[in-house]
Amino acid sequence: MPSLRKRSRSGKRTTWDIRYQVNGKSRVYTIGETDRRTAERIYRDFCDLLAAGRLDKLPFRPLEGFQKVDLDKSGNEGLTEKSSSRILSDLFAHAAEYSKHNKSPKTSERESTAFQRLLEGIGDIPLVDLSVEVLEKYKAQRLKAVSKSTVNIEIRMLNSAIHQAAEQGWTGLPTRGFKLLRQIDKEPPKWLSREQIKTLLATATGDYRRFIEFCLNTGCRRNEVLEMRWENIDLTRCQLVVIGKMGKRRTIPINNDLSKMLQEWPGKHLGLLFTKFNPNQISMAFKRIREQAGLPSGISVHSLRATFASHLIEQGVDIYTVSRLLGHSSVTVTEKHYLALDPAHARVAVGTLRLTGPPGDEQVD
């Protein structure tokens, strides 16, 4: 849908232009200096001509310096317009192309949704007009409908799109990333005790039990397990390869319990490990099993991953090894939840510290 834009510059005249797309190519036409009512009339005529495919009858000339935008795969070559002509939808088109070639379909879809929300809230403005003031207004309006976390996800994706475009040589971009909203850290995932694990496994059956056991013995994310293929499992060398976020690969050893389960796996050992489930089915099934087992409501599928990490730490495995096994981007991510994952272990560690009392009065819980 074309958009009518008012262009006002301090100390200069006010003009109007129309921004639209044809075959995925962004274009801008100027109406020139006029009043709002006349601009809106010309805009309506423009929309009628565009719908009829008769833009050759336009009653106004192209704005000087603005030409059609033809984004290629690099987002750089083939751009013939001046940097000031680029608009927000151009930035998102460039980011979407990059995402399609470098990120998973799920991530690309999530980014596309965020970009659409940003366009709806900010408008398809020139990138040179993208300012802190504009973003602050967007944040305030968006918070009326969604949480801080959702707004921050959208701002992160905008910042990422700007960074990618800057690396491709785009000019006229904001020089610094936009600030995120402050928010309290999320509660770390709950984890299961050994008794709770026994109760959960006694309640689950069939492929659901196998899914739970696989998570507990590998620390894999839900989607990593659902995308696990037999060709990535090496029972001879007792290891498996996980394709994690952003396509990053990591190797996880297979322990005796998991090895036995995989060797006894029913059916042909080809293709996907779990062929009957999608992510939502797994989450809903886990909720039912958890309720049947009488476990706390805070326990989720992700708690299986936290349980893997917690029990490794409890047995003295160093945080760096745990971080690598979990596939975290850095050990800082693992450390963030270390105390919360295993409070009893932390209490023992802190209980050995004696700095202010008399010697021999250490307290260990």
Side-chain angles (χ1 to χ4, degrees):
M1 180 69 182
S3 59
L4 178 64
R5 299 295 176 189
K6 179 180 179 182
R7 298 179 64 83
S8 299
R9 298 296 172 89
S10 177
K12 297 183 179 180
R13 64 182 186 176
T14 297
T15 61
W16 299 81
D17 60 45
I18 298 174
R19 299 172 183 274
Y20 67 106
Q21 288 194 346
V22 175
N23 298 327
K25 299 175 182 178
S26 299
R27 299 183 180 181
V28 183
Y29 277 87
T30 185
I31 296 174
E33 185 179 10
T34 186
D35 60 279
R36 177 180 290 276
R37 182 173 296 180
T38 302
E40 289 175 345
R41 178 182 57 77
I42 296 175
Y43 170 72
R44 289 193 294 271
D45 292 341
F46 174 91
C47 291
D48 291 339
L49 289 170
L50 178 63
R54 301 185 61 193
L55 291 184
D56 57 307
K57 302 297 182 182
L58 287 172
F60 42 87
R61 63 179 177 79
L63 180 64
E64 183 180 355
F66 283 74
Q67 300 178 33
K68 68 178 182 179
V69 180
D70 190 4
L71 285 173
D72 65 356
K73 290 185 179 180
S74 70
N76 193 14
E77 297 177 3
L79 288 172
T80 57
E81 85 290 2
K82 291 182 179 180
S83 62
S84 61
S85 72
R86 292 193 178 102
I87 53 181
L88 194 58
S89 58
D90 298 332
L91 177 69
F92 292 158
H94 174 265
E97 190 67 30
Y98 175 89
S99 182
K100 184 171 69 175
H101 294 287
N102 295 278
K103 301 179 183 179
S104 69
K106 183 179 178 182
T107 300
S108 297
E109 182 180 353
R110 186 166 60 246
E111 287 188 356
S112 177
T113 301
F115 292 155
Q116 184 60 37
R117 295 288 181 268
L118 285 159
L119 273 176
E120 292 171 357
I122 297 174
D124 204 2
I125 64 174
L127 292 180
V128 293
D129 295 337
L130 193 58
S131 64
V132 172
E133 181 182 4
V134 168
L135 261 293
E136 289 305 316
K137 289 180 179 178
Y138 173 78
K139 291 176 187 177
Q141 187 63 31
R142 192 80 172 104
L143 281 173
K144 296 177 181 179
V146 298
S147 67
K148 287 184 177 182
S149 295
T150 299
V151 176
N152 281 344
I153 288 172
E154 294 165 356
I155 301 303
R156 284 192 192 96
M157 291 182 179
L158 174 61
N159 286 339
S160 178
I162 292 171
H163 178 72
Q164 291 162 10
E167 288 187 332
Q168 292 289 336
W170 285 36
T171 58
L173 296 165
T175 55
R176 297 179 64 182
F178 295 106
K179 290 184 178 180
L180 303 179
L181 295 166
R182 291 184 179 181
Q183 58 183 132
I184 300 173
D185 286 343
K186 289 182 179 180
E187 280 279 330
K190 304 294 182 182
W191 57 282
L192 295 150
S193 66
R194 294 183 182 277
E195 287 302 316
Q196 288 174 324
I197 293 172
K198 290 179 182 179
T199 303
L200 184 66
L201 292 176
T203 306
T205 59
D207 280 347
Y208 291 114
R209 177 182 170 119
R210 281 186 278 272
F211 176 88
I212 292 171
E213 285 194 59
F214 194 98
C215 291
L216 288 170
N217 286 294
T218 62
C220 288
R221 301 176 179 93
R222 177 191 62 184
N223 288 2
E224 290 173 345
V225 180
L226 294 179
E227 293 169 8
M228 178 59 61
R229 305 183 68 86
W230 280 104
E231 52 262 41
N232 289 334
I233 298 173
D234 189 338
L235 290 174
T236 303
R237 299 174 64 185
C238 288
Q239 64 181 30
L240 54 86
V241 176
V242 179
I243 310 299
K245 292 183 177 180
M246 298 293 290
K248 293 181 179 178
R249 299 164 65 93
R250 69 182 188 275
T251 301
I252 298 177
I254 297 175
N255 62 19
N256 291 337
D257 291 342
L258 183 59
S259 177
K260 181 179 179 182
M261 184 185 76
L262 292 172
Q263 289 174 13
E264 297 174 352
W265 199 278
K268 296 181 179 179
H269 293 186
L270 297 171
L272 290 171
L273 218 63
F274 296 94
T275 59
K276 303 176 183 178
F277 304 136
N278 62 42
N280 187 58
Q281 286 175 320
I282 280 291
S283 295
M284 295 303 294
F286 186 86
K287 181 180 178 181
R288 289 194 300 270
I289 294 169
R290 182 199 68 207
E291 291 173 350
Q292 292 171 9
L295 297 177
S297 59
I299 300 295
S300 66
V301 172
H302 199 67
S303 297
L304 304 176
R305 178 170 160 85
T307 299
F308 170 84
S310 175
H311 285 274
L312 284 178
I313 292 171
E314 186 181 56
Q315 293 171 31
V317 178
D318 65 272
I319 194 102
Y320 297 97
T321 299
V322 173
S323 182
R324 182 179 62 80
L325 292 171
L326 291 174
H328 282 161
S329 56
S330 73
V331 72
T332 304
V333 179
T334 316
E335 289 173 338
K336 184 177 180 180
H337 299 309
Y338 174 43
L339 292 178
L341 281 173
D342 191 8
H345 183 66
R347 284 198 299 271
V348 171
V350 174
T352 63
L353 185 65
R354 194 62 179 173
L355 298 176
T356 59
D361 192 28
E362 292 81 5
Q363 295 180 358
V364 179
D365 188 5

